[in-house]
Amino acid sequence: MAGETTSTSTSDATVLNPLPDPAPGGRGYLWAAGLVGVVLAGVLGLVAWGFFSVPGTDPVRAGGWYFAISLLIIVPAAVVVLVLSWGVIVLIRRMGARGWPGPVQATPAVALVLWLVFVLARFLLAGPEE
């Protein structure tokens, strides 16, 4: 062991610059979740009112259809709106809105995504032009 030399390589380690600390008040994501929750509750209420206000329908059958439509269509659509709204908030925050209050970040994001979903649904469900 007298003839062995230990080689210690001193390479310069690359240090990544950390991201800046988010400004306080970056609660846009929480506000977006709340706004989407309010919209979801409103839509579920309107669908329930539509199913259970028809005279002469079986309430068990109406409840089954309401549950199926809520579970298979409305709740997944709300999740998509929430995720897309969070994506818009990420873009808004990257453009310099980190110091904005949460509602100011969330309201345009949720409104934009809901408007896009409305336009897409209107386009897909439109009948043929005459």
Side-chain angles (χ1 to χ4, degrees):
M1 305 229 180
E4 292 182 27
T5 59
T6 57
S7 167
T8 58
S9 64
T10 57
S11 64
D12 295 330
T14 305
V15 178
L16 297 175
N17 293 332
L19 292 174
D21 292 332
R27 296 180 176 248
Y29 304 108
L30 182 63
W31 277 94
L35 287 174
V36 170
V38 168
V39 170
L40 174 64
V43 168
L44 288 174
L46 285 174
V47 170
W49 180 71
F51 270 115
F52 294 110
S53 67
V54 177
T57 58
D58 180 20
V60 174
R61 181 175 290 159
W65 277 106
Y66 171 71
F67 178 75
I69 288 175
S70 299
L71 189 64
L72 296 175
I73 297 173
I74 298 172
V75 172
V79 171
V80 168
V81 168
L82 179 63
V83 170
L84 290 176
S85 298
W86 283 349
V88 172
I89 290 173
V90 167
L91 293 176
I92 290 173
R93 289 174 62 91
R94 282 190 182 170
M95 293 185 332
R98 287 185 181 267
W100 294 2
V104 176
Q105 294 177 19
T107 304
V110 173
L112 176 68
V113 171
L114 286 175
W115 179 76
L116 289 174
V117 168
F118 170 73
V119 169
L120 178 65
R122 188 172 170 192
F123 173 74
L124 290 175
L125 299 176
E129 295 182 12
E130 294 183 20

